[in-house]
Amino acid sequence: MTHPIFTPGKSLLAGVCLTLSLAGFMAPAAARAQTAAAPSAPAGPNPLLRPWDGPYGGVPPFDQVKVEQFKPALEAAMAENLREVEAIAGQTQTPTFENTIAALERAGRRLDEVRTVYGIWAGTLSSPEVQAIEREMSPRLAAFADQISQNERLFRRIEAVYTSPAKKQLTPEQQRLTWVHYNSFVRAGAKLDAAAKARLSAINQQLAGLFTRFSQNVLADETDSVLVLKTPADLGGLPASLRDDAANAATARQLTAAGAITNTRSSIEPFLTYSDQRKLREKAWRMFVNRGDNGGAHDNNAIITQILQLRAERARLLGYPTHAHWRLDNTMAKTPEKAMALMEEVWTPAVARVKQEVADMQALANKEGATFNIAPWDYRYYAEKVRKARYDLDQNEVKQYLQLDKMREGMFWMAGELFNFRFASVTNVPVYHPDVKVWEVTDRTSGRHVGLWYFDPYARPGKRSGAWMNAYRSQQRLDGKAVTTIVSNNANFVKGKEGAPTLISWTDAITLFHEFGHALHGLSSNVTYPSLSGTSVVRDYVEFPSQVLENWLPTAPVLQRFAVHYQTGQPIPQALVDRLERAGTFNQGFETTEFLASALLDMKMHLAGSQKIDPDKFERETLAQLGMPGELVMRHRTPQFSHVFASDAYSAGYYSYLWSVVLAADAYSAFTEAGGPYDKAVAQRLTKHVFSVGNTVDPAEGYRAFRGRDPRIDALMRKRGFPIAAKKAPAPTNKAAGKKRPAGK
């Protein structure tokens, strides 16, 4: 699964602190101001404060950035933004869409650009110096957001436009934008009294600091912990490519050892799948699942307790029974009960499937002479053995055909067929790390420039784990001038030897296509106002475009053209593809249960209200009540659950991946029911009603316009090989209340 998207700029609208930002906390777009801090350096010499220049409408000045520039740049940009917003709030003219709502859309562009670069450094080039700035600036950015969302004069102007009869004369997009701004301010406490506003702002500042500490603690455990493979025997069972990766990791860390396994998912999961050293598998597993849960300076349990208490208090201040109710009020699901109903319907068959999977693995282990019961560090290892025995499918054999560069080319080809995009490598823009490459995206027919796509694929110290999408600039045409988007995809693949291809697993390839779906969502955007652009949609809808794109990896044209053997160049054999297809529902019990355990725990923690929670104890007791199989753990254990505790982004919202995958499975059925995965008419409908509209329409209405009906859960259950219940939970049909910032998984 991927990590949440961070899209800075106008799309960070709404509410107190809803986005998982790479910098700990980023203020809402409508809230572009700062507390009365004066700039600590003049604007002129600081390259972060100059408008982006260069080709393609301007690009980030990555080659000019110095860490010590971030704080003064943020301070200066926030002060400028404060003046802009005060000018809007202090007008004497009657509030109109143009002088209030559109004016807010124009404000804060310099701050957007500064925050973009700052966020990239915090998430991918983190250092003690960057982290110190984060710890100082996160609470100040939270106060900055509240200063604007609690500005009474500004809110009265927004409310006047929202309630004016003249609103009916606005375009549908303008009406939607007006509602989004109004709803965002209300949800951020604009209608509270002075005392409540003060307490709300204090809570938000405390949370921002805690989010930063949580994130930095997880990063510390990921960076500092490593499993050293001392002898060649410790590499037992690992295929050649993983042995090379381990050796390269040891060399990079200047270790005198046969290899090293770093504490990231892309390194741990292959080791757990292939290593025949059970004791080392257990060490690797414990190192990974105990991130943030080791006691000492980097332990996150006390931080989680504080975050949950503050969220509960904030929800009560805003008039909601729990944080979960506040978060879901502005989603497609609308209520925690509807999200829980969907999760519970899938949970039961998923757990039943796990029991079958464990029985199969235990039988194989016993046959090999095992004297132990399957433990969590055995699951992937024996699942792979069962897969090979049952389907004659060795994932390492598949991996030989999955070269990262070729898979990227396959994504480009697919994007051309579905979205009419062409990708061309460019070298005339600066990058922030030598591993980052850039492509220009154009329309294949007209040659029109669409945007830029940056790709940062490899793990390195100081880069948070996982995979995600960023938007450095949002598409818009606010003043009649087309502003094109700049997006990026980020991953943590283990870099191979110099000159050798990077081989990735089938799961990694799926993740690659998933994140590219987010990028295509941004690149396809065709709206007027930046706050409604691209991926700026509600939390349980934003994963839909990315989830649906996963379906194109196994299509015949992609595999035949781009899944070629890294040594021979021969395409993947059809017999191997057939085995992949037959094994399509294999291990779905594990995949679904580990995800749902995290999603259910997330929801239950936030439905607990003011109850003071001991995270480890609550996790154990809740999983026991759910009947969690002991042979696996949550995909994200609580002390490292960055989706939920590094910001508010996916708090009480991790369920949204399941909600979105229901939409994705149902949507892909539209292709299979028509002319196949590359059916032009269906692809055009998908672009028109989903990928291009951003938040200009209610997502439920947009989906119905694409599909011709509401989504059904049946396609998901069939895809995962689960029985379809006679009485189903409500599919995602509810109207969305507004927009949230996205994420990955």
Side-chain angles (χ1 to χ4, degrees), residues 180-223:
V180 165
H181 276 284
Y182 173 77
N183 187 60
S184 300
F185 271 68
V186 171
R187 286 177 52 78
K191 291 189 173 183
L192 298 179
D193 61 32
K197 284 180 178 178
R199 178 55 189 156
L200 182 65
S201 185
I203 289 172
N204 288 336
Q205 291 175 61
Q206 284 180 268
L207 284 171
L210 292 168
F211 294 156
T212 298
R213 287 173 55 197
F214 181 98
S215 180
Q216 291 183 358
N217 285 343
V218 174
L219 180 60
D221 277 355
E222 291 175 347
T223 301

Side-chain angles (χ1 to χ4, degrees), residues 144-214:
F144 156 76
D146 288 326
Q147 185 175 355
I148 303 310
S149 63
Q150 296 179 9
N151 184 316
E152 292 187 15
R153 291 182 303 155
L154 179 62
F155 177 65
R156 284 199 298 270
R157 292 188 67 85
I158 294 170
E159 186 175 40
V161 178
Y162 177 69
T163 58
S164 170
K167 187 178 69 172
K168 295 180 181 178
Q169 307 304 315
L170 300 175
T171 68
E173 185 176 349
Q174 290 170 338
Q175 292 185 48
R176 178 76 174 175
L177 180 65
T178 302
W179 173 82
V180 165
H181 276 284
Y182 173 77
N183 187 60
S184 300
F185 271 68
V186 171
R187 286 177 52 78
K191 291 189 173 183
L192 298 179
D193 61 32
K197 284 180 178 178
R199 178 55 189 156
L200 182 65
S201 185
I203 289 172
N204 288 336
Q205 291 175 61
Q206 284 180 268
L207 284 171
L210 292 168
F211 294 156
T212 298
R213 287 173 55 197
F214 181 98

Side-chain angles (χ1 to χ4, degrees), residues 216-231:
Q216 291 183 358
N217 285 343
V218 174
L219 180 60
D221 277 355
E222 291 175 347
T223 301
D224 298 343
S225 301
V226 61
L227 176 65
V228 178
L229 306 177
K230 299 178 181 179
T231 68

Side-chain angles (χ1 to χ4, degrees), residues 313-388:
E313 182 183 356
R314 181 177 61 188
R316 292 195 302 273
L317 277 173
L318 292 169
Y320 293 86
T322 71
H323 177 76
H325 288 84
W326 175 63
R327 291 289 284 119
L328 270 75
D329 179 58
N330 204 27
T331 63
M332 291 185 77
K334 295 292 288 178
T335 68
E337 292 75 20
K338 288 178 180 175
M340 287 292 293
L342 177 63
M343 288 191 285
E344 288 169 350
E345 180 175 355
V346 180
W347 173 259
T348 300
V351 170
R353 178 62 59 81
V354 166
K355 293 179 180 178
Q356 297 171 8
E357 292 169 1
V358 170
D360 292 341
M361 290 187 291
Q362 191 67 58
L364 189 150
N366 292 344
K367 187 176 180 181
E368 292 182 345
T371 58
F372 53 82
N373 292 327
I374 297 295
W377 47 90
D378 300 317
Y379 207 113
R380 293 180 185 276
Y381 180 72
Y382 282 100
E384 186 61 22
K385 284 177 170 285
V386 171
R387 188 198 318 265
K388 194 172 190 310

Side-chain angles (χ1 to χ4, degrees), residues 484-502:
T484 56
T485 190
I486 303 175
V487 300
S488 76
N489 280 148
N490 309 266
N492 273 275
F493 299 116
V494 178
K495 193 174 185 179
K497 291 181 179 179
E498 187 67 30
T502 298

Side-chain angles (χ1 to χ4, degrees), residues 10 97-98 101-102 105-106 109 171-177 181 474-484 524-534 692-697:
K10 300 295 182 180
F97 176 88
E98 184 59 30
I101 306 300
E105 291 291 289
R106 295 185 181 94
R109 291 185 183 179
T171 68
E173 185 176 349
Q174 290 170 338
Q175 292 185 48
R176 178 76 174 175
L177 180 65
H181 276 284
S474 297
Q475 174 273 330
Q476 52 109 337
R477 50 176 180 273
L478 175 58
D479 293 312
K481 178 184 177 182
V483 175
T484 56
S524 300
S525 180
N526 184 22
V527 306
T528 301
Y529 300 99
S531 287
L532 304 179
S533 180
S692 69
V693 297
N695 193 31
T696 61
V697 300

